[in-house]
């Protein structure tokens, strides 16, 4: 893939992986991106997962021709990117490592050494002159670890954005960018909305023609689209109008209630997506909750609380600072319904959530009373549309 005359792609695709970061389903694999900048001095931008060290070093060798690298820039120390640093330094013993002080401390923790005589420690605004290319380093702490920085090349107007603007999926598989980038962002970065916002504010002052992230495709067209989406996500704003219904159901009685709600909402022209939390990809359900402006959670009462999958889902969205949304509740409790109370408690520390007033209580199975409550919840959800 072409980036510029001087910047070459040397990353790898991982189709062996089952769960990225030990939890995210990646049916189309994962890409660990790395780049070489060829100039009077040569810089390699980040390494790759340790299982792909040799393939990566081969890619670098092909890109280098008769040159050798002067620098390895380490923007992020998570092992999907730093896993091959040690192997690189064994191969290119004269190269220096450019990174933040925190990143060098993490090298000590990961590798038992921090390459003391090879260090180029950088901080906010520091530059590295390669020849025509001047690299400027911008700190991006907590996007998505504390040592993270991004790098701007003013010659080719390229932003090397670390984990930001990444997505799930290997680069040799065609798939839509937005859905997998959103699932990636909501899973991995969402907690750090404010740092992401700060990074976007810094990026606004730059003339960017190309974004080179550490995962997913290189972005070189319609950059406003990607930047605007990131702005929406970082501000915890809903991207679309619609209702996400997340439910668990043991004997399909709670399910019948959410099916009815879905039908009623759909008839009123609403976009509705439903997730059975016991069977879906939980990261998809989380992504959808952040994507739309309204959420309904429906659960049987279980052990005087909620069904376990619902507990897991609510913990995940609360951990990611879920806010600025409407949330409706459906509970089922055959003799002592407590699920709504437990679900509201799980979201109690989330800011700016509007809980619906017309919630549904099912005692075993839908009856006239609870059916009327579903209708009322539907009407309230429609009235709260943004
Ligand atoms: Fe792709 Fe935070 O590492």
């Amino acid at each position: 893939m072409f980036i510029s005359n001087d910047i070459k792609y040397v990353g790898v695709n991982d189709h062996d992986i089952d769960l990225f970061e030990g939890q995210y389903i990646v049916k189309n694999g994962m890409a660990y991106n790395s780049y070489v900048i060829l100039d009077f001095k040569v810089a390699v931008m980040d390494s790759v997962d340790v299982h792909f060290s040799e393939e990566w070093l081969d890619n670098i060798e092909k890109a280098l021709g008769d040159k050798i690298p002067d620098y390895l820039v380490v923007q992020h120390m998570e092992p999907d990117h730093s896993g091959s640093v040690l192997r690189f330094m064994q191969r290119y013993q004269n190269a220096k490592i450019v990174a933040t002080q925190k990143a060098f401390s993490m090298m000590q923790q990961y590798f038992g050494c921090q390459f003391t005589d090879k260090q180029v420690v950088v901080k906010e605004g520091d530059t590295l002159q390669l020849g025509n290319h001047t690299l400027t380093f911008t700190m991006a702490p907590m996007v998505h670890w504390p040592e993270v920085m991004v790098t701007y090349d003013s010659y080719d107007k390229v932003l090397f954005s670390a984990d930001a603007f990444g997505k799930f999926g290997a680069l040799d598989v065609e798939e839509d960018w937005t859905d997998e980038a959103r699932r990636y962002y909501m899973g991995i970065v969402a907690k750090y909305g404010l740092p992401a916002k700060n990074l976007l504010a810094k990026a606004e002052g730059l003339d960017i023609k190309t974004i080179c992230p550490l995962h997913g495709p290189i972005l070189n067209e319609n950059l406003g689209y990607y930047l605007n989406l990131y702005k929406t996500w970082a501000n915890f704003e809903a991207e679309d109008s619609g209702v996400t219904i997340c439910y668990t159901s043991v004997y399909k009685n709670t399910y019948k209630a959410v099916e009815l709600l879905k039908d009623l909402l759909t008839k009123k022209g609403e976009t509705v997506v439903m997730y059975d939390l016991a069977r879906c990809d939980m990261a998809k359900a989380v992504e959808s909750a952040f994507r739309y402006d309204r959420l309904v959670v429906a659960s049987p009462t279980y052990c005087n609380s909620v069904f376990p999958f619902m507990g897991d889902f609510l913990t995940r969205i609360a951990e990611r600072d879920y806010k600025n949304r409407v949330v409706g509740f459906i509970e089922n409790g055959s003799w002592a319904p407590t699920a709504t109370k437990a679900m509201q408690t799980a979201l109690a520390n989330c800011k700016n959530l509007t809980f619906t007033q017309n919630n549904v209580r099912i005692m075993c199975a839908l009856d006239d009373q609870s059916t009327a409550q579903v209708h009322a919840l539907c009407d309230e959800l429609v009235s709260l549309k943004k």
Side-chain angles (χ1 to χ4, degrees):
M1 71 196 72
F2 181 81
I3 301 170
S4 78
N5 288 332
D6 301 335
I7 302 177
K8 312 293 178 196
Y9 182 81
V10 292
V12 298
N13 290 315
D14 181 355
H15 285 289
D16 301 332
I17 190 166
D18 58 347
L19 295 174
F20 180 66
E21 291 192 354
Q23 61 170 312
Y24 297 105
I25 296 164
V26 281
K27 64 182 177 10
N28 287 331
M30 202 65 201
Y32 312 122
N33 296 341
S34 171
Y35 309 88
V36 170
I37 307 173
L38 298 166
D39 203 335
F40 179 67
K41 297 276 190 185
V42 174
V44 176
M45 304 299 294
D46 291 292
S47 83
V48 300
D49 182 278
V50 69
H51 298 100
F52 296 86
S53 297
E54 298 311 312
E55 183 182 338
W56 173 62
L57 288 170
D58 286 350
N59 291 347
I60 291 173
E61 202 170 304
K62 281 181 204 139
L64 287 174
D66 57 359
K67 291 174 180 276
I68 52 166
D70 297 280
Y71 302 107
L72 174 63
V73 178
V74 176
Q75 300 184 109
H76 181 16
M77 274 302 293
E78 194 165 3
D80 51 333
H81 310 296
S82 70
S84 299
V85 167
L86 212 47
R87 189 70 193 86
F88 178 93
M89 294 307 284
Q90 288 163 352
R91 170 77 67 94
Y92 299 107
Q93 295 185 3
N94 292 325
K96 290 193 174 337
I97 299 179
V98 182
T100 60
Q101 188 61 63
K102 273 200 179 70
F104 284 113
S105 302
M106 287 188 181
M107 284 179 216
Q108 182 72 44
Q109 291 164 225
Y110 274 116
F111 310 134
C113 77
Q114 52 178 288
F115 308 98
T116 310
D117 55 338
K118 308 282 186 191
Q119 290 188 0
V120 179
V121 181
V122 290
K123 49 189 186 331
E124 178 72 26
D126 283 355
T127 58
L128 181 70
Q129 199 75 42
L130 300 178
N132 289 323
H133 297 257
T134 303
L135 303 184
T136 303
F137 303 104
T138 296
M139 303 302 110
M142 300 320 294
V143 186
H144 114 257
W145 279 15
E147 83 297 357
V148 172
M149 64 179 188
V150 300
T151 305
Y152 179 66
D153 169 23
S154 52
Y155 185 72
D156 279 333
K157 304 190 189 320
V158 173
L159 178 68
F160 296 93
S161 60
D163 271 344
F165 299 98
K167 70 179 269 298
F168 297 123
L171 297 190
D172 53 0
V173 180
E174 286 273 327
E175 66 179 0
D176 177 64
W177 185 87
T178 309
D179 281 351
E180 282 300 82
R182 187 191 304 106
R183 189 168 69 97
Y184 167 94
Y185 179 91
M186 297 312 169
I188 292 169
V189 190
K191 169 85 179 158
Y192 309 112
L194 185 60
K197 212 167 136 179
N198 292 340
L199 176 61
L200 288 167
K202 289 177 184 177
E204 261 172 15
L206 301 172
D207 180 9
I208 302 169
K209 295 271 187 294
T210 305
I211 296 175
C212 288
L214 287 177
H215 303 290
I218 287 136
L219 308 174
N220 50 19
E221 288 176 353
N222 202 11
L223 292 190
Y225 171 76
Y226 303 106
L227 289 161
N228 277 335
L229 266 184
Y230 251 68
K231 206 176 281 180
T232 301
W233 297 343
N235 282 316
F236 295 91
E237 288 165 7
E239 184 184 330
D240 290 312
S241 171
V243 182
T244 300
I245 301 176
C246 292
Y247 71 96
T248 56
S249 187
V250 183
Y251 295 109
K252 296 235 181 250
N253 287 307
T254 310
Y255 172 74
K256 281 176 190 157
V258 294
E259 266 293 299
L260 173 61
L261 179 63
K262 180 188 172 188
D263 288 348
L264 294 171
L265 286 166
T266 305
K267 280 187 189 134
K268 289 183 183 285
E270 295 282 0
T271 299
V272 183
V273 284
M274 288 218 310
Y275 293 92
D276 175 353
L277 296 176
R279 293 174 178 83
C280 72
D281 171 2
M282 191 69 82
K284 282 290 297 173
V286 170
E287 173 218 323
S288 186
F290 278 91
R291 175 177 180 177
Y292 294 105
D293 59 327
R294 287 154 292 163
L295 169 68
V296 173
V297 283
S299 173
T301 299
Y302 189 81
C303 292
N304 206 25
S305 183
V306 293
F307 211 60
F309 302 102
M310 179 58 76
D312 181 12
F313 170 74
L314 294 171
T315 299
R316 290 183 192 223
I317 62 171
E319 278 174 349
R320 287 163 175 76
D321 286 347
Y322 191 63
K323 63 179 85 165
N324 307 331
R325 303 289 192 281
V326 171
V327 187
F329 299 88
I330 298 176
E331 68 179 350
N332 195 339
S334 305
W335 63 92
T338 56
T340 290
K341 187 167 173 243
M343 292 189 285
Q344 291 182 342
T345 302
L347 298 175
N349 291 329
C350 297
K351 295 194 179 77
N352 197 25
L353 292 184
T354 303
F355 291 168
T356 52
Q357 299 300 307
N358 295 283
N359 297 315
V360 179
R361 170 170 287 180
I362 307 162
M363 300 298 281
C364 296
L366 274 179
D367 59 8
D368 288 348
Q369 188 179 0
S370 50
T371 297
Q373 289 172 350
V374 175
H375 282 262
L377 175 58
C378 170
D379 291 343
E380 186 176 358
L381 287 166
V382 172
S383 75
L384 292 170
K385 178 177 181 161
K386 283 197 180 146

